[in-house]
Amino acid sequence: ETGVTQTPRHLVMGMTNKKSLKCEQHLGHNAMYWYKQSAKKPLELMFVYNFKEQTENNSVPSRFSPECPNSSHLFLHLHTLQPEDSALYLCASSQGPSGGSGDTQYFGPGTRLTVL
Amino acid sequence: DAKTTQPPSMDCAEGRAANLPCNHSTISGNEYVYWYRQIHSQGPQYIIHGLKNNETNEMASLIITEDRKSSTLILPHATLRDTAVYYCIVTRGGSEKLVFGKGTKLTVNP
C-alpha cells in the first residue's frame, strides 16, 4: 500500500467508448503523474501536474485528456482510443518542486486497459 | 533515453544476498540514484535512493562508488517475493520525470 490508489484496476472498452481513469493520493503531495507501460516497453511519462497545473505533456495524443481538480486527485479521460493504446496506465505522486533530498515518486497499482 | 546501464537478468538463491549493479557514468552532481522494482503487472515500488553516501533501509542497501559512476543495490536475504524487475534511475527529483530503462530481471530460486 503506497498511499496512491487507482480505479478501476481493469478496464475493457471499445474504440467508440468514453471512459475515465481515476487516481487519488493520500500522501499530501503536490505533484501527480500519468505514465503508460505498453507490453514489453519501458514506462513512458505522459503528463505531469504540479499544484494542479499541467507542467508537462509528453506529446500525448489528444484522445487522452488529463484533469487535475485538486492536488489529491488526477483523472485521465479516454475517448476514441485505438487498440494500440492497450497498456498499463500508472499514476504516481511526489512532493513536487519543493521536495528536498530528491523527490520520491510513489506509484499506484495501475489500471490495465484493453481497447477492442 | 535512460542514463543507466543494467544487466538484463540475474539469478539468486533464496536466503542469499542479491547484488544488483548499475552503471551511470554520466551522472551529474545534483542527480540522485533511485531504485524501484516492479513485480509483474503491478505499479513500480520505491526501494531506496541516494546522492553520494551509502544508504540502508528496511528493504535494501545502496552502495554508491566514490566517483558516483556506478552503484549496487543489495537485498541482504533474498526471498521468492523479491523476484521482480529492478530499475536503477538517475534523476534530479523536483518532479522531474523518471526515465525507466529495461532494468534487471531478478529471479530468486528456491
Side-chain angles (χ1 to χ4, degrees):
Chain A
E1 182 59 50
T2 62
V4 181
T5 59
Q6 290 187 242
T7 55
R9 295 293 308 277
H10 300 271
L11 178 63
V12 179
M13 60 186 289
M15 290 191 284
T16 58
N17 291 159
K18 288 184 181 181
K19 297 287 184 183
S20 295
L21 310 185
K22 179 182 176 183
C23 175
E24 184 173 359
Q25 57 95 1
H26 310 274
L27 301 169
H29 287 163
N30 299 307
M32 296 188 78
Y33 312 75
W34 279 116
Y35 287 85
K36 173 184 177 183
Q37 188 173 32
S38 303
K40 300 185 179 178
K41 282 187 170 182
L43 275 80
E44 304 168 61
L45 179 73
M46 300 175 75
F47 302 103
V48 180
Y49 277 81
N50 281 295
F51 297 96
K52 303 188 297 177
E53 299 296 321
Q54 187 181 124
T55 54
E56 185 156 352
N57 176 336
N58 200 24
S59 303
V60 180
S62 59
R63 57 185 183 271
F64 295 92
S65 174
E67 178 191 0
C68 189
N70 54 62
S71 292
S72 299
H73 293 87
L74 185 64
F75 294 89
L76 189 62
H77 304 299
L78 316 170
H79 64 97
T80 58
L81 294 191
Q82 305 297 313
E84 57 265 30
D85 296 321
S86 298
L88 181 67
Y89 288 85
L90 292 154
C91 173
S93 74
S94 74
Q95 283 279 39
S98 60
S101 184
D103 183 33
T104 303
Q105 292 183 27
Y106 294 92
F107 286 81
T111 295
R112 172 68 61 187
L113 174 67
T114 303
V115 182
L116 301 176
Chain B
D1 290 343
K3 301 179 187 177
T4 62
T5 305
Q6 299 177 252
S9 63
M10 292 183 66
D11 284 274
C12 177
E14 189 177 18
R16 304 298 293 268
N19 297 289
L20 291 90
C22 179
N23 286 320
H24 31 80
S25 58
T26 61
I27 191 170
S28 300
N30 61 352
E31 289 182 313
Y32 294 82
V33 180
Y34 271 80
W35 284 83
Y36 284 82
R37 72 181 182 185
Q38 188 173 25
I39 297 169
H40 182 63
S41 292
Q42 297 181 24
Q45 178 187 22
Y46 164 75
I47 301 173
I48 198 167
H49 75 281
L51 184 62
K52 291 189 290 187
N53 300 322
N54 298 337
E55 303 287 344
T56 295
N57 62 21
E58 65 278 4
M59 289 183 69
S61 294
L62 174 60
I63 308 299
I64 303 174
T65 57
E66 195 168 339
D67 64 7
R68 302 210 322 128
K69 292 185 177 182
S70 65
S71 60
T72 301
L73 178 74
I74 301 172
L75 307 179
H77 305 287
T79 71
L80 299 179
R81 287 179 297 180
D82 292 322
T83 293
V85 179
Y86 287 76
Y87 298 99
C88 169
I89 298 167
V90 165
T91 177
R92 290 175 300 171
S95 74
E96 180 179 77
K97 67 181 179 183
L98 298 180
V99 179
F100 285 78
K102 295 183 179 178
T104 296
K105 172 84 167 94
L106 174 69
T107 302
V108 180
N109 300 304

